[in-house]
Amino acid sequence: MSFVEYGDTIKDGDTAIVFLGHESMFPVKVQHGTVTQTKYGVIRHSTDLIGKKYGSKVTCSKGGWVFILHPTPELWTVNLPHRTQILYSTDISIITMMLELKPGSIVCESGTGSGSLSHALIRTVAPTGHLYTVEFHQQRAEKAQEEFREHGVEHLVTVTNQDVCKNGFGVSNIADAVFLDIPSPWEAIGHAKSALKAEGGRICSFSPCIEQVQRTCLAMEEYGFTEINTLEILLRVYNVRTISLQIPDLGKAAEDNSSTGFDSSNPSHQGSPCANLQQGTVQFKSGVPLREVVGHTGYLTFATKS
């Protein structure tokens, strides 16, 4: 099993996603002889998972059923264990596009955190690219390295435990792009410039506060970066629902009913269109925004090495 190469069959040692519904799923490490408890009953790995195809519908011990999905960076983002605040697919998508990443790209990242963006970057640059990710916290760095190994992508990523603001990324003049998600990104701009290739490399900095953005932009300008711009991604989700609205009384329905001799008390007319008009409502599908919307997450600042 690999996050960058699809496999048809569930194997012992794989990481799989147990899908109970769009708002309910979780990862599980498949192991021979192990069981997993769900609200629909027990899933026995040896008989219910190993050897089955990804996407299979598995019946649990209580009669309910779940789907077993192959892991992807998008599914991992919404199911991973949180060691830090993470980036979600909305920001990740614009980051990979604006950094102009493609298979074969070399990317430097700091900090690794929970590995949400890391998995997406690895999938984007595979099979010939590489990710150099730096994490200040030793335990988080070790856990990220363990997850990369379990997910079959360790050959595409190098994890380093050090302070990027003091020691840099450990590489020079090879990166196509650099991503910074640290409290003081302006202190790492010089190291980012050293890691980027001679000309045309791209940099992105993620910061939740505008004061951080201001200092980062000043540092980018000082180190000769061009095309500096900052943007913010706001996501507004709509639900498709059936809406009932009253029909305005324009007088036409009453005239039509009187001219045709329509009798609303006649049971034979209850299913007619005129009967629906007499009820005064009509139903239709509409997009309705959520009452609570996730607002600001952070600012993304992009620039190009001149």
Side-chain angles (χ1 to χ4, degrees), residues 107-112 117-118 121 131-134 169 178-180:
V107 186
C108 293
E109 175 198 26
S110 182
T112 311
L117 176 64
S118 303
L121 294 176
L131 172 66
Y132 294 90
T133 183
V134 178
F169 294 93
V178 170
F179 177 79
L180 298 174

Side-chain angles (χ1 to χ4, degrees), residues 253 256-257 260 262 264 269-280:
D256 291 344
N257 293 345
T260 57
F262 177 78
S264 60
H269 292 159
Q270 294 299 315
S272 66
C274 292
N276 290 332
L277 291 175
Q278 288 295 102
Q279 294 173 0

Side-chain angles (χ1 to χ4, degrees), residues 275-298:
N276 290 332
L277 291 175
Q278 288 295 102
Q279 294 173 0
T281 61
V282 62
Q283 292 186 334
F284 62 95
K285 295 292 184 181
S286 177
V288 180
L290 301 180
R291 291 186 177 181
E292 295 183 0
V293 179
V294 176
H296 172 77
T297 58

Side-chain angles (χ1 to χ4, degrees), residues 25-50:
M25 60 184 99
F26 60 89
V28 62
K29 185 173 182 179
V30 180
Q31 293 179 312
H32 185 76
T34 303
V35 298
T36 296
Q37 294 282 350
T38 74
K39 63 181 180 180
Y40 301 125
V42 172
I43 301 174
R44 296 174 176 82
H45 293 200
S46 301
T47 57
D48 297 333
L49 299 183
I50 297 176

Side-chain angles (χ1 to χ4, degrees), residues 189-266:
I189 299 300
H191 294 297
K193 183 177 180 180
S194 299
L196 287 169
K197 60 186 180 181
E199 186 177 358
R202 295 280 286 165
I203 183 174
C204 174
S205 173
F206 176 90
S207 297
C209 301
I210 196 64
E211 292 82 5
Q212 293 171 302
V213 174
Q214 291 170 335
R215 296 189 65 175
T216 302
C217 289
L218 290 174
M220 288 179 174
E221 188 175 34
E222 179 183 348
Y223 279 95
F225 284 88
T226 60
E227 300 177 342
I228 302 172
N229 65 88
T230 299
L231 53 86
E232 180 185 25
I233 308 299
L234 299 178
L235 179 66
R236 190 176 189 187
V237 179
Y238 282 78
N239 285 337
V240 177
R241 296 179 181 176
T242 300
I243 304 296
S244 295
L245 291 180
Q246 287 187 339
I247 299 173
D249 184 7
L250 303 178
K252 181 175 174 55
E255 294 176 3
D256 291 344
N257 293 345
S258 60
S259 62
T260 57
F262 177 78
D263 183 5
S264 60
S265 62
N266 189 337

Side-chain angles (χ1 to χ4, degrees), residues 17-247:
I17 305 298
V18 179
F19 181 89
L20 293 82
H22 289 290
E23 301 297 329
S24 179
M25 60 184 99
F26 60 89
V28 62
K29 185 173 182 179
V30 180
Q31 293 179 312
H32 185 76
T34 303
V35 298
T36 296
Q37 294 282 350
T38 74
K39 63 181 180 180
Y40 301 125
V42 172
I43 301 174
R44 296 174 176 82
H45 293 200
S46 301
T47 57
D48 297 333
L49 299 183
I50 297 176
K52 300 290 181 65
K53 287 189 175 183
Y54 279 106
S56 296
K57 183 177 179 179
V58 174
T59 302
C60 304
S61 60
K62 293 182 180 179
W65 48 266
V66 298
F67 288 105
I68 308 299
L69 306 181
H70 192 283
T72 65
E74 290 80 11
L75 288 175
W76 185 245
T77 290
V78 296
N79 288 286
L80 58 78
H82 284 227
R83 300 183 288 274
T84 60
Q85 291 291 329
I86 69 169
L87 290 176
Y88 290 91
S89 297
T90 306
D91 288 315
I92 291 173
S93 60
I94 196 70
I95 289 169
T96 55
M97 184 189 75
M98 294 293 287
L99 290 182
E100 302 173 4
L101 301 182
K102 58 186 181 300
S105 295
I106 306 298
V107 186
C108 293
E109 175 198 26
S110 182
T112 311
S114 301
S116 173
L117 176 64
S118 303
H119 282 80
L121 294 176
I122 292 169
R123 196 262 308 273
T124 302
V125 304
T128 56
H130 200 83
L131 172 66
Y132 294 90
T133 183
V134 178
E135 173 56 52
F136 175 78
H137 193 276
Q138 181 179 354
Q139 285 72 28
R140 287 200 293 262
E142 292 173 352
K143 185 60 179 178
Q145 181 69 64
E146 178 185 342
E147 288 178 349
F148 293 142
R149 183 170 55 253
E150 291 178 351
H151 299 165
V153 296
E154 72 277 6
H155 62 292
L156 296 169
V157 57
T158 299
V159 181
T160 306
N161 172 221
Q162 64 186 28
D163 186 350
V164 69
C165 296
K166 295 181 179 179
N167 307 114
F169 294 93
V171 297
S172 299
N173 302 319
I174 65 170
D176 297 287
V178 170
F179 177 79
L180 298 174
D181 183 6
I182 55 179
S184 53
W186 55 90
E187 296 181 0
I189 299 300
H191 294 297
K193 183 177 180 180
S194 299
L196 287 169
K197 60 186 180 181
E199 186 177 358
R202 295 280 286 165
I203 183 174
C204 174
S205 173
F206 176 90
S207 297
C209 301
I210 196 64
E211 292 82 5
Q212 293 171 302
V213 174
Q214 291 170 335
R215 296 189 65 175
T216 302
C217 289
L218 290 174
M220 288 179 174
E221 188 175 34
E222 179 183 348
Y223 279 95
F225 284 88
T226 60
E227 300 177 342
I228 302 172
N229 65 88
T230 299
L231 53 86
E232 180 185 25
I233 308 299
L234 299 178
L235 179 66
R236 190 176 189 187
V237 179
Y238 282 78
N239 285 337
V240 177
R241 296 179 181 176
T242 300
I243 304 296
S244 295
L245 291 180
Q246 287 187 339
I247 299 173

